Amino acid sequence: MATALSFKALALAALLSMVVASGARAEQQFKRNATTASQDRSLLSYSSGWLPAKATWYGAPTGAGPLDNGGACGFKGTNQYPFSSMTSCGNEPIFKDGKGCGSCYQIRCLKSNHPACSGVAQTVIITDMNYYPVAKYHFDLSGTAFGSMASWGLNDKLRHAGIIDMQFRRVPCNFPGLTITFRVQHGSNPMYLAVLIEHENKDGDVVQADIMQSNSGHWEPMHESWGSIWRIDPNRPLRGPFSMRITNESGRQLVAKNVIPANYIPDVDYRSFVQY
């Protein structure tokens, strides 16, 4: 009996040791991930200067990337202004689980990277997710954006390279003539509202969205659904009109009062009067 109890005690001690070790490893991994995210935020600031990356391209040679002119951010018509096909997938440090959607970067490649490169900086907007990165920073560009880094007349020659070294840096977005737009998503109903937010100047992104129902006087946090789409599903009827409050990566907030009417129509853009 004593021997059996001894074996049980040893087994329990070993199990506890494994649990403690597993918890310690998880804590260390969490700290490493947090440190990496903090380093990425610092590197991807406006003052970081040019950083090295890999560039590839996808879709049609002179297209906007996805054949439907969309992407994992939820934006539509990326072949039209203000995207104008100058779009890119970003891997996780750039896409940021959707919170990097809409952010702007200058890209360039030098003659030392490829003979067809011009060295002239071009601006792209993050509209999609790069699921298979080949480097710490990997821009999977639209065919149009990739070709734009070439010297005059050498666009196709550069695209034929397939993958190249390039440089990038974060820059403020600037969309002349546009205010922040809210597009109610298909499937929204009296108990559920999903909204695509786009065309933000400066940071170009949204890290938090809040909603106020019918002048209720209090803000309710929305949840990121995917990409730049935010939702609220409180399991009770929602009452419009709806005001929207958005926060960008720099922490600046804007309020679009009563921007979505009570009788909203899904798949319709509701333009605000506010802009960063």
Side-chain angles (χ1 to χ4, degrees):
M1 178 66 73
T3 302
L5 289 174
S6 177
F7 280 138
K8 288 181 179 180
L10 288 172
L12 181 58
L15 179 60
L16 287 173
S17 177
M18 291 173 60
V19 169
V20 170
S22 177
R25 286 194 298 270
E27 182 179 4
Q28 290 172 355
Q29 184 61 49
F30 177 81
K31 289 180 178 178
R32 282 196 294 268
N33 291 343
T35 300
T36 300
S38 177
Q39 291 171 343
D40 285 330
R41 282 194 296 272
S42 177
L43 285 172
L44 299 179
S45 67
Y46 296 119
S47 60
S48 64
W50 291 101
L51 297 171
K54 291 288 187 181
T56 52
W57 66 279
Y58 72 119
T62 56
L67 298 179
D68 64 353
N69 298 315
C73 287
F75 304 136
K76 304 296 183 185
T78 55
N79 59 324
Q80 302 170 3
Y81 181 77
F83 306 101
S84 304
S85 298
M86 292 293 288
T87 59
S88 180
C89 300
N91 62 314
E92 186 50 36
I94 299 164
F95 185 75
K96 302 173 186 174
D97 198 25
K99 291 183 173 65
C101 287
S103 54
C104 297
Y105 292 87
Q106 281 188 339
I107 59 170
R108 72 178 185 187
C109 65
L110 308 175
K111 295 288 186 185
S112 57
N113 300 134
H114 190 278
C117 291
S118 70
V120 177
Q122 305 290 338
T123 301
V124 296
I125 305 171
I126 300 302
T127 59
D128 209 348
M129 171 66 180
N130 180 356
Y131 296 95
Y132 305 103
V134 298
K136 178 177 176 61
Y137 301 119
H138 179 186
F139 287 75
D140 196 14
L141 300 158
S142 68
T144 299
F146 193 97
S148 74
M149 294 188 292
S151 298
W152 189 86
L154 299 180
N155 312 75
D156 285 333
K157 182 177 180 180
L158 184 60
R159 280 189 285 262
H160 286 156
I163 180 170
I164 60 171
D165 291 312
M166 58 161 269
Q167 298 80 44
F168 76 101
R169 63 184 178 187
R170 181 83 180 268
V171 294
C173 297
N174 183 28
F175 305 129
L178 292 180
T179 55
I180 296 172
T181 301
F182 302 87
R183 173 178 281 251
V184 176
Q185 297 298 286
H186 185 77
S188 294
N189 58 62
M191 307 282 282
Y192 167 85
L193 180 63
V195 181
L196 170 70
I197 307 171
E198 56 184 344
H199 305 153
E200 305 90 25
N201 280 345
K202 307 299 183 184
D203 289 353
D205 53 28
V206 175
V207 299
Q208 180 57 48
D210 306 294
I211 193 168
M212 182 186 292
Q213 300 184 53
S214 187
N215 299 311
S216 67
H218 69 272
W219 293 100
E220 300 174 75
M222 300 183 78
H223 303 284
E224 187 180 17
S225 189
W226 58 276
S228 195
I229 297 173
W230 295 78
R231 75 180 190 279
I232 183 169
D233 44 0
N235 198 31
R236 53 182 167 78
L238 296 164
R239 294 186 301 166
F242 303 95
S243 297
M244 296 289 298
R245 182 176 68 184
I246 63 172
T247 306
N248 68 9
E249 191 173 4
S250 296
R252 290 189 59 199
Q253 291 186 330
L254 284 180
V255 173
K257 187 174 176 58
N258 296 333
V259 66
I260 300 174
N263 58 343
Y264 63 78
I265 301 173
D267 299 319
V268 169
D269 287 338
Y270 293 100
R271 298 192 180 277
S272 72
F273 294 101
V274 297
Q275 183 58 279
Y276 285 107

